[in-house]
Amino acid sequence: MVLTYYEIKEAVQDSYERLYIRGGYDEYNTFFASLNDYDQAEDFSLTEECCLYLNFAILFIRNHSNFDFIKDRLTELIKEENLIIYKEELNEEYISFEKDLNELKSYS
């Protein structure tokens, strides 16, 4: 991982505010514009992808926005077998990741 969990979380918040709130993008274009910025990096990892999806989903839920278009991929990313990978890569930041994941699950 190039960025820490906290850096990804902050970047997602910044993108959401810049594109969705101030820029007038819809949820779909806000998310995929942000994802594209990361996806272009050669070393973009599964963990970083999950962190991005997770944090956008939480923002969309908190703001009563539609996020159906990411649910299928998000469900794949948060499967139990992937959580082992995330725990290894996130180290001490996994606690924050897990807290956010539990918040997401509490909305279902």
Side-chain angles (χ1 to χ4, degrees):
M1 277 185 57
V2 174
L3 297 175
T4 67
Y5 181 70
Y6 301 112
E7 290 170 331
I8 293 171
K9 189 172 184 162
E10 185 176 291
V12 165
Q13 180 68 42
D14 289 346
S15 293
Y16 182 83
E17 289 175 8
R18 181 175 40 84
L19 298 174
Y20 184 73
I21 295 174
R22 292 192 309 264
Y25 282 49
D26 63 13
E27 295 91 344
Y28 182 91
N29 288 315
T30 298
F31 175 78
F32 283 106
S34 299
L35 178 62
N36 188 48
D37 287 345
Y38 292 97
D39 202 21
Q40 298 301 313
E42 224 174 85
D43 48 3
F44 185 62
S45 72
L46 186 69
T47 302
E48 289 168 317
E49 182 182 6
C50 182
C51 294
L52 190 80
Y53 271 78
L54 172 63
N55 282 285
F56 264 108
I58 289 171
L59 280 174
F60 289 146
I61 289 169
R62 286 179 182 165
N63 292 289
H64 309 288
S65 299
N66 179 18
F67 72 105
D68 290 343
F69 60 93
I70 66 170
K71 283 183 179 177
D72 288 343
R73 180 63 181 149
L74 180 60
T75 300
E76 289 293 316
L77 289 167
I78 61 174
K79 285 187 174 179
E80 197 66 36
E81 61 266 19
N82 290 334
L83 296 180
I84 297 165
I85 297 166
Y86 307 152
K87 191 170 190 170
E88 284 179 17
E89 287 190 21
L90 292 171
N91 297 312
E92 66 276 351
E93 289 183 309
Y94 187 78
I95 294 168
S96 294
F97 170 86
E98 190 173 42
K99 180 181 174 216
D100 290 340
L101 181 58
N102 288 334
E103 178 182 347
L104 176 69
K105 289 178 178 180
S106 75
Y107 290 117
S108 348

